[in-house]
Amino acid sequence: MDPEVQQLVEAIHAAPQRLVLIVSGGGSRTASQLLEVPGASRTVLEAVVPYSEEAMVVLLGGKPDRICSVTTARAMAMAAYCRARRYDQSGNPLLGVACTASLATDRPKRGSHRAHLAVQTDDITETWSVTLEKGSRSRAEEESLVSRLLLNVIGEACGLAEPLALGLLATEEIRTERAAAEPAWRGLLLGEVEAVCQGEDFGVEATADRVLYPGAFHPLHVGHRRMAEVAEEILGQRVQFEISIFNVDKPPLDYVEIQQRIAPFASDEALWLTRLPTFEEKSRLFPGATFVVGSDTLSRIADPRYYHGDEGACGQALERMAARGCRFLVFGRQIAGRWVSLAELELPEVLRGICQEVPEERFREDVCSTDLRGVEEE
């Protein structure tokens, strides 16, 4: 092992941080380097290599828009951080570290050779991205560069000030992005609070009949805005928005993602950030609320697949929502290329009985967040 590499790894092992490392497409040498130097058990909780697309889907709970992207690197780092929190509850500082790369292979690549790295902690989300000049290095040389960069990233997260030389070319530069957590965001991630309100302070104990519009808002678009306007016209109350930083079977939203999701909302709009991924949980915290939803969302609320295939658990959750006085204002949506209204959904009677339909002539917007996002740029 290169003496400089060994010295940095020894310093990492001497630091108090413990980590889970997830790498895909490049950076796997870093795992070996960390494990080859004595003291690795003080640092490494787990190293994971989801190399196939199927393995990445299992890790992240769904197929990302693009495997090798800075967004996916952040999601991988958050998944690693959550695993670290499960493995070590002793109070040690924890790191989720990730790298997703597309490097030279045994066939020509149309896209660029690149790597995206990320670190997630209690307090920060940080990323590093580099595009390598095609044809200037072998696969082994590109792997060596990415692994050295990944060791530097871990070293920086451990507070070490002496990074390894990378040998970047004049055309290559490392791009970074960093988001520090607001105290409330940190509290949500760590489970210290269930909900916080950005913008106007309406308070959890305020109006029992609030109108709440939950969504990913990724991105916020004209369809969302029009739904909110129509809901306010029908119900005579101002809509409050809600984004859960936790989702079923997916890593939580990282701090960069939270910044991006809340940025389009005005300061005088009530926007709740919660750790409540299901409507049953939302109904517990917001009893008496009317939820603004699309027909696609409503169909999932009544689908036993989202209750581990247990029809009984699904029915009980719906009964609890109804008992808490919650209702649903339902807008038609495109499902499998067809506009579907509330009347066309097959629903349990307990759910249908607490739903109100918005007619198509009152609202019809075919815009879709997934289409607006498109395929993420490198």
Side-chain angles (χ1 to χ4, degrees), residues 18 64 72 85 113 116 207 224 271 282 284 296 353:
R18 307 195 77 192
T72 300
R85 281 179 55 81
H113 295 188
H116 301 282
T207 57
H224 297 136
L271 169 61
K282 299 180 204 300
R284 174 180 54 77
D296 54 342

Side-chain angles (χ1 to χ4, degrees), residues 303-305 307-320 350:
D303 191 335
R305 286 186 304 165
Y307 303 83
H308 306 288
D310 188 333
E311 291 189 8
C314 175
Q316 290 168 10
L318 298 178
E319 292 281 0
R320 286 192 292 270
V350 63

